[in-house]
Amino acid sequence: MTTTLPAYDEVVARYEPVIGLETHVELGTNTKMWCGCPTDFGGEPNTRVCPVCLGLPGSLPVANKAAIEAIIRIGLALNCSIAEWCRFARKNYFYPDMPKNFQISQYDEPICVDGYLDVEVGGETVRIEIERVHLEEDTGKTLHVGGATGRIHGATESLVDYNRAGIPLVEIVTKPIPGTGALAPDVARAYVTELRDVIRTLGVSDVRMEEGSLRCDVNTSLNLPGQEWGTRTETKNVNSLRSVERAVRSEMLRQASVLDAGGRITQETRHFHEDTGDTTPGRSKETATDYRYFPEPDLVPVAPDPVWVAELKAALPELPRVHRRRLQEQWGLSDLDMQSVLNAGAVELIEATVAAGTTPAAARKWWLGELSRRANESGVELADIGATPAQVAELQGLVDAGKLNDKMARTVLEGVVDGEGSPTEIMTSRGLEVVSDTGALTVAVDEAIAANPGIADKIRSGKVAAVGALVGAVMKTTRGQADAKTLRELILERLGVQG
Amino acid sequence: MTDLTRMTATEIAALVAGGETSAVEVTRAHLDRIAAVDEQVHAFLHVDTDGALAAARSVDERRAAGEELGPLAGVPVAVKDVLATRGVPTTVGSKILEGWRPPYDATIVQRLRAAGTVMLGKTNMDEFAMGSSTEYSAYGPTHNPWDLSRIPGGSGGGSAAALAAYEAPLAIGSDTGGSIRQPGAVTGTVGAKPTYGGTSRYGLVAFSSSLDTPGPCARTVLDAALLHQVIGGHDPRDSTSIPQPVPDVVAAAKLGATGDLTGVRLGIVSEFVGEGAEPGVMAAFRESVDALTKMGAEVVEISCPTFAYALPAYYLIAPSECSSNLARFDGVRFGLRVGDDGNRSLEEVMSLTREAGFGPEVKRRIMLGTYALSSGYYDAYYGQAQKVRTLITRDFTAAFERVDALISPTTPFTAFPIGARTADPYQMYLADLFTIPTNLYGGPGISVPCGLSEGLPVGLQVMAPTMADDRMYRVAAALESAVGTFTPPAL
């Protein structure tokens, strides 16, 4: 089925979007949520399991204190209230990768409630309200083998790997976010980015979307201005920042085309496809399972000591937003300049480069200039470009010492990105060092004056600007290894002209 | 030499410790007894002959090496098939776990092994501990040694019958609504439900998590106390386990055995001595109350009006939890799998497995619980039942402000004939009428033989505040010292 989708500008002119995000974060605890099995990614299937995480008859869960501490820290960082008393609940449904056929989660008594996260979008601050943050357990993984696609259709056997079963999973749910208009996709992306940065700063998860340690469900609805919110759809398991943005956008377009044609939006879950950027329908919410939630009788309630919570709050690290503001001030950047640093994903890189002994201006110049250009060209994240902050600092050090001029430094940086070695190594191996030997330069200058008598006369007669031509000529013979400023002074001196 | 199978655990332990007999001899005597009578009684689902003899040999070797042995070393024990036993079949009386050998031991089983007791095997039970007569076992009923045509109580009928038939001096049971005390009462043995959380549930195949309580079964109160001491205490693998030491139940049983109850205040639960119980049961109970009074106890009647709602509340809470706990029995990871011929969907295989693997009572309770928890009915059923539970707890708390312990008959009637109540689930549920409130409250309860009615045993129940398990042992031991123990006709 191919329908022509309306233009995005038209959609946001006619409809108001409301978005909402549910983010799952696998915690980086050493052991699982209810037992002592290790949580490392990978591993031979079913080697990191025990009676508890396999849900064997008679086995019982015991809550992992490190996970409770981690979620409280997340809640505090998101400005939530921490419950003084709460319980886990059972969410009952059947699925072969869920060992007990119920998931221990939280229902009406989450650990953290009513918080917010401020994010910057287009130079403005948008406050995203957090409804709840709760703790649950991850499921195992089902592998379908024998078919061509690896999907269940056509498979001859299904195998289950329970290594992931029981890994602590934090779910962070926003309140509905209205009023973002055309910026809805950007707000969604900015929120997930900020959330990821906060959690990474807390050190409670490696928040890698590609490994599934951060997964996102995106809720989207459209309504006509002044009318009630529309029916929402839930796009499941979106696993990159770019996809979060695209999922909102494509769902807005799809819903608009349905509404434009007089249709009705069905409340359902949808699957996002990385390759096409489209969503397709999953389970309809109208036939949704009755989860039969009830308080988990195998676990005692969680009652975090308020003194402990206060200690955790006091010990929170500087959060990304505050951190960035402090850096902006230290680096003396305008809001706009800081925004471009953020957009390029260069904050940590510049910070580390400065820490390695360079000025903020120089660090920014390299990361936002040459390196960002290369990253864009090759379609990789700036952080993965192949140059390290230490190498950039080393490069700038060579420039500062007069060993490299700007042009040569760019060449050296290319070599660094291409993996040829450290800046000093590349400078040496390529023979790129600035010729600072005045004797050798003088010979080259005299040759240039002799070869260009007309220009020399012009300069002598007072047209000093013409010196550029001689500088160029010397540069050519020295293959760019001279320092332009030194060279200029030397030429004028040899011609007996005051600079 | 006297018959080793007729001895109490205390006596056996003393003989083994003194070198007058060996653990192997004791074990062989009991294995022989099982071989001789269990065909009639059917107390055991699995007898672990090799494991038992190996454990016994190990005790004898340790004794020979001069190692200090625990107070129950060398004493055989029968374990209800609800507890996971490493490498030894564990079925919970259900087809769905037929042949399953757990890769791990329940905490209680570990403690039994560590104490040097000898596990004889696994005893019969109502499927998933759901029932009051052991007729719902998928492997056929157990027979009451007092009258083989009658039920031995449930769900722990196997454990109680093994004691009454002298197949084992000690047994482990589990009590969700009375499954230790009620079989104890109808087989003339002692059964104690400890405080909830006082014994570990780790490795106990769950029926109703908030109610299930493993506990000791024995032929004397002191034996029960000794076993309680061995299996009780905090377990970090069970979140609901109470991080406190076991009350000194052994000292309490010894104190009670002196026959002095001066200063002890006992409350008779008015609601349980009205028209609910059979005349023969009430007569034995009244005589016991006289005996307790003679020993110095002050006895008063106490009304606990909400106890009347305990049965309906229980039959909402327990099935609700069981509907969730039993969800894992789906044929995917362990136990029975039916219909997996390569052409059926996962749902079909799950459905066929559960259809074949679960018996009628289990299905009935899963359906009940699923309904009670479903959205739209939760508040009316499960939520309401939890409120009743709170009120029952308040009744207990108020009562224990006035008295040290509460007493009642353990069951309203004596052992009924096999088949008499299976057609009417409600009639069956009434068997646990007097024991259920204690489970909803979480406190300890014990049943001790207090007399006979038409030749069948009657039990008296003592209920105490949570973590005051020692009090009930004292009262039970005192009563035992006054009325004695009761011996069934020879098999």
Side-chain angles (χ1 to χ4, degrees):
Chain A
M1 184 191 75
T2 331
T3 41
T4 315
L5 292 175
Y8 187 73
D9 290 348
E10 291 169 22
V11 169
V12 293
R14 280 202 299 279
Y15 297 103
E16 289 176 348
V18 179
I19 54 171
L21 293 125
E22 293 171 26
T23 312
H24 284 96
V25 177
E26 267 187 3
L27 290 180
T29 46
N30 294 325
T31 56
K32 291 186 181 180
M33 190 60 223
W34 318 115
C35 64
C37 288
T39 54
D40 320 327
F41 184 72
E44 286 288 302
N46 297 312
T47 53
R48 290 160 186 183
V49 293
C50 72
V52 175
C53 57
L54 285 175
L56 292 188
S59 62
L60 292 174
V62 176
N64 182 341
K65 199 182 171 206
I68 305 274
E69 179 175 319
I71 192 174
I72 290 175
R73 294 179 69 229
I74 292 172
L76 291 169
L78 299 177
N79 307 290
C80 290
S81 310
I82 309 301
E84 288 186 15
W85 190 92
C86 67
R87 280 182 296 194
F88 285 100
R90 285 194 191 172
K91 182 180 184 180
N92 291 282
Y93 62 103
F94 287 84
Y95 209 73
D97 65 10
M98 197 166 59
K100 301 181 291 289
N101 280 326
F102 58 80
Q103 184 187 34
I104 305 177
S105 180
Q106 289 199 291
Y107 178 50
D108 50 355
E109 300 168 302
I111 296 183
C112 317
V113 291
D114 293 335
Y116 62 85
L117 183 64
D118 287 336
V119 302
E120 311 278 341
V121 183
E124 282 193 37
T125 302
V126 180
R127 176 159 290 189
I128 309 291
E129 305 220 31
I130 308 285
E131 184 174 297
R132 59 186 286 155
V133 182
H134 76 243
L135 198 46
E136 58 190 35
E137 57 182 333
D138 214 340
T139 60
K141 280 182 189 168
T142 314
L143 309 157
H144 304 290
V145 295
T149 57
R151 297 198 179 163
I152 192 162
H153 187 75
T156 54
E157 268 184 304
S158 293
L159 306 171
V160 201
D161 175 9
Y162 293 103
N163 280 354
R164 201 181 65 183
I167 289 184
L169 202 57
V170 168
E171 183 172 341
I172 302 151
V173 183
T174 69
K175 290 184 182 162
I177 311 161
T180 55
L183 286 176
D186 306 84
V187 169
R189 180 183 178 141
Y191 164 76
V192 179
T193 310
E194 185 72 19
L195 185 64
R196 183 196 63 179
D197 291 350
V198 166
I199 289 167
R200 190 185 283 151
T201 303
L202 294 172
V204 294
S205 168
D206 57 8
V207 280
R208 287 180 180 275
M209 289 189 96
E210 67 278 12
E211 282 183 8
S213 61
L214 188 151
R215 314 196 277 274
C216 211
D217 300 341
V218 181
N219 293 310
T220 315
S221 71
L222 291 182
N223 59 275
L224 291 168
Q227 298 205 357
E228 275 182 34
W229 291 350
T231 304
R232 70 188 164 87
T233 60
E234 182 180 5
T235 308
K236 302 289 282 183
N237 290 325
V238 184
N239 60 6
S240 78
L241 292 172
R242 187 163 162 262
S243 298
V244 169
E245 191 179 324
R246 289 168 78 206
V248 174
R249 195 183 168 91
S250 80
E251 207 30 37
M252 283 168 68
L253 295 178
R254 187 191 67 83
Q255 290 186 16
S257 77
V258 172
L259 295 171
D260 285 348
R264 202 171 61 86
I265 303 299
T266 317
Q267 187 171 346
E268 63 187 358
T269 60
R270 299 186 68 85
H271 301 295
F272 181 75
H273 304 285
E274 290 281 346
D275 44 353
T276 58
D278 290 341
T279 65
T280 52
R283 175 165 52 79
S284 167
K285 280 273 182 183
E286 281 162 338
T287 58
T289 324
D290 180 354
Y291 291 120
R292 294 179 289 118
Y293 285 101
F294 74 107
E296 165 58 271
D298 283 331
L299 288 166
V300 287
V302 179
D305 181 351
V307 176
W308 179 53
V309 173
E311 283 168 9
L312 291 177
K313 188 169 188 175
L316 284 182
E318 185 182 43
L319 294 174
R321 212 171 119 83
V322 179
H323 183 65
R324 286 197 303 266
R325 229 182 264 136
R326 182 168 62 76
L327 289 179
Q328 184 181 350
E329 210 164 283
Q330 276 176 10
W331 296 347
L333 298 183
S334 68
D335 286 353
L336 205 63
D337 286 344
M338 190 63 190
Q339 196 55 49
S340 56
V341 170
L342 287 173
N343 291 346
V347 177
E348 288 169 17
L349 297 166
I350 293 176
E351 197 183 3
T353 309
V354 171
T358 308
T359 62
R364 188 168 136 250
K365 182 185 96 177
W366 292 118
W367 285 109
L368 289 196
E370 204 63 18
L371 291 167
S372 281
R373 186 180 58 74
R374 278 288 296 257
N376 281 338
E377 278 170 13
S378 42
V380 297
E381 292 288 321
L382 189 57
D384 300 329
I385 188 73
T388 65
Q391 288 168 334
V392 173
E394 185 186 334
L395 181 79
Q396 181 61 34
L398 293 172
V399 173
D400 292 341
K403 293 188 177 176
L404 290 178
N405 63 22
D406 194 64
K407 186 156 176 275
M408 289 150 68
R410 283 170 206 276
T411 309
V412 169
L413 195 54
E414 297 257 316
V416 171
V417 169
D418 294 338
E420 288 173 27
S422 76
T424 310
E425 284 164 7
I426 294 166
M427 183 180 77
T428 311
S429 65
R430 289 209 189 174
L432 280 173
E433 196 165 352
V434 167
V435 179
S436 48
D437 174 356
T438 335
L441 274 186
T442 309
V443 174
V445 166
D446 289 346
E447 281 173 10
I449 291 172
N452 299 284
I455 296 169
D457 284 345
K458 266 190 190 169
I459 299 168
R460 283 197 196 92
S461 66
K463 289 189 178 167
V464 176
V467 77
L470 287 182
V471 169
V474 179
M475 280 292 190
K476 220 170 189 176
T477 56
T478 59
R479 294 189 338 245
Q481 280 171 291
D483 179 63
K485 194 164 157 259
T486 316
L487 194 54
R488 191 171 182 279
E489 282 163 10
L490 190 61
I491 293 168
L492 293 178
E493 187 196 309
R494 297 302 284 180
L495 292 173
V497 179
Q498 286 295 93
Chain B
M1 188 170 211
T2 33
D3 184 354
L4 288 166
T5 62
R6 295 274 159 168
M7 291 180 175
T8 65
T10 313
E11 289 161 353
I12 291 170
L15 290 180
V16 171
E20 290 159 67
T21 187
S22 68
V24 169
E25 262 183 278
V26 171
T27 303
R28 285 231 165 85
H30 284 93
L31 290 170
D32 290 348
R33 175 71 180 169
I34 293 168
V37 303
D38 204 53
E39 206 173 313
Q40 303 168 66
V41 180
H42 194 217
F44 284 87
L45 290 177
H46 179 83
V47 180
D48 185 22
T49 306
D50 294 344
L53 288 170
R57 270 193 296 275
S58 157
V59 170
D60 290 336
E61 283 161 18
R62 283 165 52 201
R63 199 193 92 76
E67 266 184 59
E68 182 141 357
L69 300 174
L72 288 179
V75 180
V77 53
V79 174
K80 188 177 180 182
D81 206 27
V82 73
L83 289 178
T85 42
R86 189 186 178 111
V88 176
T90 300
T91 68
V92 217
S94 179
K95 286 279 179 217
I96 210 154
L97 273 182
E98 190 164 15
W100 185 57
R101 290 170 189 260
Y104 76 108
D105 271 335
T107 296
I108 283 181
V109 173
Q110 280 183 351
R111 288 182 180 174
L112 287 173
R113 293 194 201 281
T117 65
V118 174
M119 192 185 78
L120 293 171
K122 308 297 287 293
T123 56
N124 200 10
M125 58 185 286
D126 281 305
E127 185 179 0
F128 279 96
M130 297 173 196
S132 305
S133 66
T134 317
E135 290 167 286
Y136 292 130
S137 166
Y139 303 98
T142 296
H143 301 261
N144 192 327
W146 285 80
D147 175 348
L148 294 171
S149 72
R150 290 176 186 267
I151 60 104
S155 64
S159 285
L163 298 173
Y166 299 99
E167 294 171 277
L170 295 176
I172 300 291
S174 71
D175 192 311
T176 307
S179 295
I180 290 176
R181 291 162 287 164
Q182 185 258 10
V186 302
T187 59
T189 58
V190 177
K193 179 201 105 67
T195 295
Y196 177 83
T199 42
S200 169
R201 286 187 298 116
Y202 188 82
L204 172 84
V205 180
F207 159 20
S208 177
S209 304
S210 75
L211 301 164
D212 295 342
T213 313
C217 311
R219 288 192 295 264
T220 70
V221 175
L222 179 60
D223 280 3
L226 284 163
L227 186 53
H228 189 140
Q229 201 80 50
V230 163
I231 62 172
H234 181 240
D235 177 11
R237 290 189 297 182
D238 175 357
S239 167
T240 60
S241 163
I242 297 170
Q244 279 175 39
V246 188
D248 197 341
V249 290
V250 174
K254 287 177 177 166
L255 175 63
T258 63
D260 180 10
L261 286 177
T262 310
V264 175
R265 287 172 64 90
L266 299 175
I268 296 176
V269 181
S270 324
E271 284 73 12
F272 291 167
V273 294
E275 289 145 30
E278 280 176 3
V281 169
M282 279 316 301
F285 177 72
R286 291 287 177 206
E287 280 172 35
S288 302
V289 171
D290 289 345
L292 292 166
T293 312
K294 279 195 192 108
M295 287 183 280
E298 188 188 335
V299 183
V300 294
E301 276 215 11
I302 285 194
S303 173
C304 296
T306 60
F307 284 16
Y309 306 105
L311 195 69
Y314 175 88
Y315 278 100
L316 289 169
I317 291 169
S320 292
E321 292 185 9
C322 105
S323 73
S324 173
N325 281 331
L326 269 54
R328 73 191 68 197
F329 299 93
D330 58 7
V332 173
R333 290 166 307 280
F334 45 78
L336 188 71
R337 181 185 292 177
V338 174
D340 183 13
D341 59 4
N343 296 313
R344 288 200 174 91
S345 72
L346 173 75
E347 281 77 9
E348 287 171 316
V349 172
M350 261 194 206
S351 177
L352 287 167
T353 300
R354 292 162 69 85
E355 167 61 26
F358 288 141
E361 183 62 19
V362 171
K363 286 177 186 158
R364 177 153 46 233
R365 297 202 196 187
I366 290 174
M367 293 308 293
L368 251 171
T370 303
Y371 185 75
L373 284 179
S374 59
S375 70
Y377 300 100
Y378 180 95
D379 290 335
Y381 296 117
Y382 182 83
Q384 204 67 12
Q386 289 292 12
K387 286 179 191 161
V388 169
R389 188 172 187 173
T390 304
L391 295 177
I392 287 169
T393 300
R394 279 190 206 154
D395 264 3
F396 269 111
T397 310
F400 291 135
E401 279 167 14
R402 295 178 52 199
V403 295
D404 299 309
L406 291 170
I407 55 172
S408 75
T410 309
T411 57
F413 36 76
T414 55
F416 49 85
I418 288 174
R421 289 175 184 252
T422 39
D424 185 347
Y426 183 70
Q427 284 302 309
M428 186 72 90
Y429 297 165
L430 288 176
D432 293 333
L433 190 63
F434 300 161
T435 48
I436 279 172
T438 295
N439 295 82
L440 292 170
Y441 159 60
I446 192 170
S447 177
V448 58
C450 72
L452 298 176
S453 165
E454 295 174 28
L456 292 170
V458 175
L460 179 140
Q461 176 178 224
V462 187
M463 296 166 273
T466 51
M467 285 312 270
D469 304 48
D470 44 352
R471 278 190 216 172
M472 69 182 195
Y473 276 98
R474 182 180 172 193
V475 176
L479 183 66
E480 184 182 65
S481 76
V483 304
T485 54
F486 301 86
T487 306
L491 282 172

